[in-house]
Amino acid sequence: MRRSKRGGIGRFVKRFIMTILAVTLMAAGVAGFLLFTMSGNVWLEQLLSYGNEVSFRAEGLDLRFEQWADSLETRFERMIPETVRPFFD
């Protein structure tokens, strides 16, 4: 019995959909394990603490950049002569 191309494509699409469904269900199972078990909670707490640490470092960098920009602005203001400053305000 000869198979048609349409049947082959249909089987491929069916296998593809089933594979996507299986991967989605496995991901949901892993997410459930991580959310509802003690080891999962510890793992999530570690992830959150790392995220907080990165956030604090980013805020520190932002503060340093603002301080650097302010000091640079102050230097440029000092370089402008007093007679010319009213034109820059």
Side-chain angles (χ1 to χ4, degrees):
M1 181 176 214
R2 189 173 158 200
R3 294 183 179 175
S4 66
K5 276 190 167 186
R6 181 172 267 173
I9 293 173
R11 282 190 301 275
F12 174 76
V13 170
K14 184 179 177 182
R15 285 181 186 161
F16 181 76
I17 290 172
M18 293 301 267
T19 303
I20 295 297
L21 179 63
V23 169
T24 304
L25 289 174
M26 284 187 279
V30 169
F33 171 76
L34 292 176
L35 289 174
F36 298 114
T37 63
M38 190 60 82
S39 63
N41 286 334
V42 170
W43 182 81
L44 288 174
E45 286 175 8
Q46 289 174 349
L47 186 64
L48 287 174
S49 69
Y50 178 72
N52 285 336
E53 183 181 335
V54 169
S55 174
F56 288 137
R57 287 185 183 182
E59 287 176 8
L61 286 174
D62 190 36
L63 180 64
R64 286 186 203 159
F65 180 75
E66 287 179 13
Q67 291 172 347
W68 177 77
D70 290 343
S71 69
L72 189 63
E73 183 179 350
T74 305
R75 288 181 192 170
F76 279 124
E77 285 178 357
R78 289 181 190 158
M79 291 171 49
I80 299 172
E82 288 288 331
T83 55
V84 182
R85 281 190 192 177
F87 295 109
F88 288 95
D89 287 334

